[in-house]
């Protein structure tokens, strides 16, 4: 019987220890080997397979190499970004949170689960870019900011109304989350406002590791945010913290700061409920113009991105603490 130990050692060196099950299938030099590609992006797998095959074919007695690639389905850490009502800047926060986490070194992807009102393609400058199929799964669209993303807005025609009942919306969400994410291990999921079918599907099938709740300072928004918090708490999904958006407006002409939506409401609510307050984002013309133009402020270094970086740093700390438990 041919000693395959030297070949197994060579294969391990070529792939960084990702091979197993090496054996000859016959006496004609046909070699079979298993290559573990868990955590590798699609564009990394084929070069590694080619390197392994070429390296083994150089060895005496090897005439053909059959490589079987396998990958474990890894558990994704899902951060749900929710709100009790629309119009509070939840999607802008989700996009900038993902970009800021990426800049902190987190391997993060972005899912636009706001099925009926997808806005992430505009926010991330990925409109009119269609995701491709990778086998039976979708391949995320690579944004200009290093964050791969998927959204129904990239699948439906521009301006098309998405009129899906709950089960269809649930299946769409499943396709977006269970996509071919490669080495991504953390997903920021921009949920629709409210507490409906999509939120329930996310909680039941994909169980977020934690949720970030976005609210404006005004009482009506906080009432609805409290309902969103209640939904996650009933499902044992930890609340990472609250974000107060549209918190103060600085007049570009005189510099006076006013509070059209009130001030400090979300921070006070967080304190009352015993939750962490992640920070506040001002009502800013710069943020609005950058977002409409597909340039998340968190991608740059100007002051408009600072609140998002500060919030992302706290979320990253939460993720690190979670890994350490």
């Amino acid at each position: 019987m041919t000693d395959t130990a030297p070949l197994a050692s060579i294969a391990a060196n070529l792939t960084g220890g990702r091979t197993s099950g090496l054996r000859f299938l016959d006496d004609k030099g046909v070699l079979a080997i298993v290559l573990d590609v868990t955590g590798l992006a699609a564009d990394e797998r084929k070069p590694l397979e080619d390197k392994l095959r070429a390296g083994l074919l150089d060895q005496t007695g090897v005439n053909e190499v059959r490589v079987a690639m396998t990958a474990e389905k890894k558990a994704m850490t899902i951060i749900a970004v929710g709100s009790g009502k629309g119009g509070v800047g939840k999607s802008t926060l989700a996009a900038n949170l993902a970009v800021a986490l990426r800049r902190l070194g987190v391997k993060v992807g972005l899912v636009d689960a706001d099925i009926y009102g997808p806005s992430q393609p505009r926010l991330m400058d990925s409109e009119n870019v269609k995701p491709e199929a990778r086998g039976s799964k979708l391949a995320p669209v690579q944004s200009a900011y290093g964050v791969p993303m998927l959204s129904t807005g990239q699948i439906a025609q521009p301006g098309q109304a998405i009129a899906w009942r709950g089960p269809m919306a649930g299946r769409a969400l499943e396709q977006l989350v269970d996509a071919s994410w490669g080495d991504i291990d953390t997903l920021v999921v921009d949920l629709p406002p409210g507490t409906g079918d999509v939120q329930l599907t996310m909680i039941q099938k994909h169980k977020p590791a934690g949720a970030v709740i976005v609210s404006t300072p005004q009482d009506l928004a906080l009432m609805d945010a409290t309902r969103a918090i209640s939904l996650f708490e009933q499902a044992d999904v930890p609340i990472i913290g609250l974000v107060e958006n549209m918190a103060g407006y600085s007049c570009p002409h005189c510099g006076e700061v006013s509070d059209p939506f009130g001030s400090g409401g979300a921070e006070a609510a967080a304190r009352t409920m015993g939750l962490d307050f992640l920070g506040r984002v001002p009502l800013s013309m710069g943020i609005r113009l950058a977002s409409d133009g597909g340039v998340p402020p968190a991608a740059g270094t100007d002051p408009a991105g600072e609140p998002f970086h500060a919030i992302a740093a706290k979320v990253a700390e939460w993720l690190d603490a979670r890994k350490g438990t």
Side-chain angles (χ1 to χ4, degrees):
M1 181 178 294
T2 303
D3 182 11
T4 58
L7 294 175
S9 178
I10 291 169
N13 289 333
L14 288 169
T15 63
R18 288 179 171 269
T19 53
S20 62
L22 183 146
R23 68 190 191 282
F24 280 102
L25 298 179
D26 54 27
D27 57 0
K28 297 180 181 179
V30 179
L31 187 68
I33 191 168
V34 177
L35 174 63
D36 180 10
V37 293
T38 300
L40 297 182
D43 58 358
E44 297 175 304
R45 297 179 179 187
K46 187 63 165 60
L48 186 61
E49 179 189 6
D50 291 344
K51 178 182 177 182
L52 173 63
R53 180 175 282 108
L56 290 174
L57 284 172
D58 277 344
Q59 307 307 310
T60 302
V62 180
N63 297 316
E64 181 182 344
V65 178
R66 297 179 184 178
V67 179
M69 288 191 286
T70 64
E72 293 182 9
K73 183 178 180 180
K74 62 181 179 181
M76 301 283 277
T77 298
I78 294 176
I79 300 171
V81 179
S83 66
K85 64 182 297 180
V88 299
K90 168 186 54 60
S91 293
T92 300
L93 188 281
N96 282 278
L97 174 60
V99 171
L101 286 173
R102 172 68 176 81
R103 293 185 64 172
L104 290 172
V106 179
K107 295 178 180 179
V108 63
L110 177 63
V111 169
D112 187 355
D114 197 344
I115 303 294
Y116 305 109
S119 54
Q120 292 299 344
R122 169 66 62 88
L123 290 165
M124 297 291 285
D125 194 24
S126 297
E127 290 183 292
N128 304 316
V129 182
K130 302 292 185 184
E132 298 178 354
R134 189 174 291 160
S136 61
K137 296 180 179 291
L138 290 174
V141 169
Q142 291 294 331
S143 73
Y145 309 107
V147 177
M149 60 168 294
L150 281 172
S151 168
T152 53
Q154 297 164 322
I155 300 171
Q157 293 299 318
Q160 177 186 350
I162 300 176
W164 293 341
R165 296 189 183 275
M168 288 185 66
R171 286 194 293 273
L173 173 61
E174 194 160 355
Q175 278 192 306
L176 299 180
V177 174
D178 290 334
S180 182
W181 288 102
D183 64 345
I184 295 302
D185 56 27
T186 302
L187 287 182
V188 172
V189 178
D190 177 17
L191 290 174
T195 54
D197 287 332
V198 176
Q199 290 87 341
L200 292 173
T201 298
M202 169 58 68
I203 290 170
Q204 292 169 356
K205 290 191 175 182
H206 304 289
K207 194 59 182 289
V212 172
I213 305 298
V214 184
S215 177
T216 57
Q218 67 189 108
D219 290 344
L220 284 175
L222 288 165
M223 287 170 56
D224 292 324
T226 300
R227 296 187 182 97
I229 291 168
S230 176
L231 175 70
F232 286 113
E233 288 182 337
Q234 288 175 35
D236 294 324
V237 175
I239 303 298
I240 301 173
L242 270 66
V243 172
E244 185 172 278
N245 197 24
M246 305 181 194
Y249 174 73
S250 178
C251 176
H253 304 294
C254 68
E256 181 180 353
V257 177
S258 59
D259 297 294
F261 296 106
S263 175
E267 184 173 11
R271 188 164 52 247
T272 299
M273 291 183 280
L275 301 173
D276 287 336
F277 180 66
L278 299 178
R280 51 176 53 90
V281 180
L283 183 62
S284 163
M285 183 69 75
I287 292 176
R288 197 273 293 173
L289 290 173
S291 299
D292 285 350
V295 183
T301 57
D302 60 68
E306 291 177 2
F308 301 110
H309 291 296
I311 291 166
K314 292 183 178 180
V315 174
E317 287 178 9
W318 186 91
L319 289 169
D320 288 340
R322 180 177 178 273
K323 291 175 183 177
T325 57

